[in-house]
């Protein structure tokens, strides 16, 4: 799982905060006109340039993140802006005051999410997180004994676990493409890797984009086209996509995309987004795959629906969304987070966060050399705001799990920079590699990347 292989040993973040003294003041309420829902004003008509530091400094003020720590682990969890916190708090209180039940399919919230990602509300489910969405997608498909899932060796437990259930319970066969690391491949190389793994039994192609281990963005559209050519269903573990990349889910042409809302989208913890294609379009003209809502109290029980033969009139999103009493406050928080991102501009955010990721990669290459990079860089289709690299002066130290965890802990303890490490299977090496992973988000600017790079460089010298 995401946190399993991150050992921030010998350091308690709370302990450090106590050591440092009192909390941070509530600066920035009202910045960008985004702080108070009732008075939210549109952004100025003149759109500031992507690298306008004044603009991004104002964005930074929308967040309550402790300023004494440079937080660069958004890939594990984001931080809701004040506006989201306010809405969640207000709705929680209103629900408590009125003892209000929420037997709802949350159509309004799903509509807002759907519009932001270029799809329709019957194609969107608000989940608990990526793992929840992955389970609902994988276990809802009609996969049987000897059917094959083609996936990768860089998948997260949120996808690996339901795949293992399918294997152990139903005899589904899991085949894995071994992914390369670093900057030597193009999008086409990934397509060829997957093409070589397809057989007449392949029913599903499942992959993470980006992978959580290296931060390389697998080419979603290209792999979707490959799958379509073979009549294969696609599921993307897109944990990191909402709030980072301005992707139109429809145009990607995939069948399913499970994601977090609490990472880059900075919605409340315990929220996620699942996209289920419910349209036949040019981007994916194949029939809708058989799919069942495995958790539901809203699926018609009168035999009126046959999901073996799906068509767009079957409201698949509603069936999966309607499950007993729901969480109105958290869902209102998701809606607000999506609206705040819309207001700032999703493409502007993508340009900013990926631009900072590119900058981080350049700095890493300059100091440590190209071989230190675990993420792709040259092919822009493969880059995103996650950056994985080997921070050690002696490259072989990247295989030392203890040293890697110590690096992460000391970076936080001694330099107040919070990142994480990962455990990456590498082709041709029996030992796992433990690079570090950095997230660049909308509350960061170039100076933050510089600070992280300087700290990592100094620490790598100390640990040489
Ligand atoms: C690629 C990937 N998939 C799944 C997950 C699990 O995410 P969640 O906590 O939203 O279930 C993560 C992150 O932790 C991830 O990076």
């Amino acid at each position: 799982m995401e946190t399993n292989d991150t050992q921030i040993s010998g350091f308690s973040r709370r302990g450090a905060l106590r050591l440092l003294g009192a909390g941070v003041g509530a600066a920035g309420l009202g910045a960008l006109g985004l702080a108070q829902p009732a008075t939210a004003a549109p952004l100025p008509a003149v759109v500031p340039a992507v690298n306008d530091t004044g603009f991004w400094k104002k964005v930074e003020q929308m967040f309550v993140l402790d300023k004494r720590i440079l937080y660069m682990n958004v890939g594990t969890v984001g931080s809701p802006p004040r506006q989201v916190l306010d809405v969640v708090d207000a709705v929680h209180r209103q629900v408590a005051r009125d003892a209000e039940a929420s037997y709802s399919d949350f159509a309004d919230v799903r509509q807002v999410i759907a519009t932001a990602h270029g799809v329709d509300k019957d194609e969107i489910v608000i989940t608990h997180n990526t793992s929840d969405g992955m389970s609902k997608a994988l276990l809802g498909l009609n996969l049987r004994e000897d059917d094959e899932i083609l996936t990768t060796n860089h998948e997260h437990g949120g996808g690996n676990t339901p795949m293992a259930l399918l294997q152990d319970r139903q005899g589904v066969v899991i085949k894995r493409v071994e992914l390369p690391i670093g900057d030597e491949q193009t999008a086409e190389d990934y397509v060829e890797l997957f093409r070589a793994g397809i057989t007449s039994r392949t029913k599903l192609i499942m992959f993470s984009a980006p992978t959580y281990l290296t931060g390389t963005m697998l080419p979603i559209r290209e792999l979707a086209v490959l799958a379509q050519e073979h009549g294969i269903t696609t599921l993307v573990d897109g944990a990191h996509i909402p709030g980072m990349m301005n992707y139109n889910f429809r145009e990607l042409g995939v069948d399913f995309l499970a994601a977090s809302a609490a990472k880059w989208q900075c919605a409340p913890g315990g929220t996620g987004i699942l996209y289920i294609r419910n349209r036949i379009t040019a981007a994916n003209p194949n029939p809708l795959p058989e799919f069942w809502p495995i958790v539901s109290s809203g699926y018609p029980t009168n035999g009126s629906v046959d999901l073996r033969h799906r068509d767009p009139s079957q409201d698949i999103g509603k069936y999966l969304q309607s499950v007993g009493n729901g969480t109105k406050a958290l869902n209102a928080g998701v809606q607000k987070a999506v609206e705040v991102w819309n207001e700032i501009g999703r493409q502007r955010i993508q340009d900013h966060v990926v631009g900072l990721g590119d900058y981080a990669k350049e700095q890493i290459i300059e100091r440590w050399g190209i071989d230190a990079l675990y993420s792709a860089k040259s092919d822009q289709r493969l880059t995103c705001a996650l950056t994985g690299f080997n921070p050690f002066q002696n490259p072989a130290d990247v295989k030392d799990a203890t040293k890697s965890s110590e690096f992460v802990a000391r970076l936080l303890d001694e330099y107040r920079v919070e990142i994480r490490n990962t455990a990456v299977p590498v082709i041709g090496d029996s030992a796992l590699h433990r690079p570090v992973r950095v997230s660049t988000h909308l509350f960061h600017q170039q100076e933050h990347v510089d600070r992280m790079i300087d700290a990592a460089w100094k620490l790598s010298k100390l640990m040489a």
Side-chain angles (χ1 to χ4, degrees), residues 2 75 129-132 156 158 208 210 212 237 239-240 260 263 437:
E2 175 79 10
N129 46 46
T130 317
S131 307
D132 182 34
H156 188 276
S208 293
Y212 83 111
D237 177 341
H240 302 271
S260 169
K263 295 181 190 288
R437 191 190 76 185

Side-chain angles (χ1 to χ4, degrees), residues 175-446:
K175 294 203 163 171
R176 293 184 194 268
V177 168
E178 293 200 344
L179 295 182
I181 57 160
D183 189 34
E184 278 176 14
Q185 42 289 325
T186 63
E188 287 70 28
D189 294 333
Y190 285 98
V191 174
E192 291 317 311
L193 279 174
F194 277 86
R195 191 191 304 279
I198 293 174
T199 74
S200 58
R201 291 185 184 280
T202 310
K203 294 290 184 316
L204 177 71
I205 290 182
M206 190 288 260
F207 57 92
S208 293
T211 77
Y212 83 111
L213 297 178
T214 63
T216 291
M217 178 64 79
L218 266 57
I220 303 177
R221 175 66 191 148
E222 287 83 350
L223 290 171
V225 168
L226 172 74
Q228 287 170 29
E229 284 165 9
H230 293 82
I232 297 170
T233 302
T234 38
L235 163 61
V236 177
D237 177 341
H240 302 271
I241 287 174
M244 182 213 273
M245 306 303 281
N246 183 30
Y247 286 167
N248 177 309
F249 295 166
R250 171 101 61 237
E251 286 171 7
L252 291 176
V254 296
D255 291 294
F256 299 86
L257 189 149
S260 169
K263 295 181 190 288
W264 302 80
Q265 182 56 79
C266 294
T271 59
I273 296 168
L274 173 62
Y275 163 66
I276 306 169
R277 179 173 72 96
N278 208 31
R279 296 285 179 280
I280 295 168
T281 66
N284 190 340
N286 288 359
L288 302 175
E290 178 177 343
F291 179 70
W292 300 86
I294 56 155
V295 185
S296 180
S297 58
Y299 171 70
T301 53
N302 58 2
S304 61
V305 170
D306 182 358
L307 294 175
R308 282 168 300 194
H309 308 285
R310 276 180 59 208
D311 72 69
S313 72
Q314 298 157 338
D315 194 339
I316 195 71
K318 182 175 176 174
Y319 300 154
L320 255 179
Q321 192 69 60
S322 308
V323 192
N325 184 27
T327 170
K328 193 172 175 185
L330 293 188
N331 291 348
V334 176
Q335 175 171 341
K336 182 53 70 181
V338 171
E339 288 168 348
V340 170
W341 257 237
N342 291 346
E343 198 176 342
I344 296 171
R346 287 178 180 272
Q347 189 60 42
R348 192 190 302 172
I349 292 171
Q350 176 182 318
D351 291 345
H352 182 71
V353 305
V354 178
L356 287 179
D358 285 348
Y359 178 69
K361 290 172 180 80
E362 280 157 21
Q363 299 306 306
I364 289 161
I365 293 170
E366 208 172 296
R367 304 258 187 138
W368 284 268
I370 185 77
D371 290 344
L373 204 58
Y374 277 61
S375 320
K377 178 181 185 299
S378 308
D379 186 338
Q380 283 288 304
R381 295 169 295 178
L382 307 180
T383 63
C384 73
L386 281 173
T387 301
F389 70 103
N390 177 355
F392 295 110
Q393 299 289 325
N394 172 11
D397 286 352
V398 79
K399 299 182 200 180
D400 185 335
T402 309
K403 196 159 184 175
S404 173
S405 293
E406 185 192 337
F407 187 91
V408 172
R410 286 185 64 180
L411 201 69
L412 179 54
D413 202 2
E414 296 168 24
Y415 297 89
R416 308 282 170 228
V417 178
E418 186 165 354
I419 60 172
R420 66 160 290 177
N421 59 356
T422 64
V424 188
V426 175
I427 296 170
D429 199 337
S430 56
L432 290 173
H433 290 203
R434 314 270 176 169
V436 295
R437 191 190 76 185
V438 175
S439 306
T440 44
H441 207 16
L442 77 174
F443 38 69
H444 297 131
Q445 292 158 65
Q446 194 169 310

Side-chain angles (χ1 to χ4, degrees), residues 50-63 67 70-72 352-353 355-357 359-360 363 438-453:
V50 170
N51 57 2
D52 180 333
T53 47
F55 177 79
W56 293 108
K57 272 192 200 303
K58 281 187 189 156
V59 168
E60 188 186 346
Q61 286 166 5
M62 291 162 46
F63 293 84
K67 302 281 184 292
L70 174 52
Y71 182 70
M72 302 190 101
H352 182 71
V353 305
L356 287 179
Y359 178 69
Q363 299 306 306
V438 175
S439 306
T440 44
H441 207 16
L442 77 174
F443 38 69
H444 297 131
Q445 292 158 65
Q446 194 169 310
E447 69 192 63
H448 297 121
V449 176
D450 290 335
R451 192 176 138 199
M452 179 276 296
I453 293 282

Side-chain angles (χ1 to χ4, degrees), residues 85-149:
L85 298 175
D86 291 348
V87 165
V88 173
D89 187 48
V91 177
H92 257 315
R93 286 172 185 282
Q94 171 220 313
V95 166
R97 189 190 59 225
D98 299 344
E100 187 184 331
S102 291
Y103 289 89
S104 166
D105 66 3
F106 295 101
D108 294 353
V109 182
R110 285 162 53 228
Q111 182 62 63
V112 171
I113 299 169
T115 304
H117 296 100
V119 296
D120 292 308
K121 77 168 184 298
D122 52 296
E123 303 180 284
I124 289 293
V125 182
I126 310 161
T127 57
H128 297 304
N129 46 46
T130 317
S131 307
D132 182 34
M134 290 298 292
S135 285
K136 283 172 173 156
L138 279 161
L139 303 178
L141 284 164
N142 178 26
L143 294 169
R144 294 161 188 242
E145 190 168 359
D146 294 334
D147 285 348
E148 291 176 7
I149 300 178

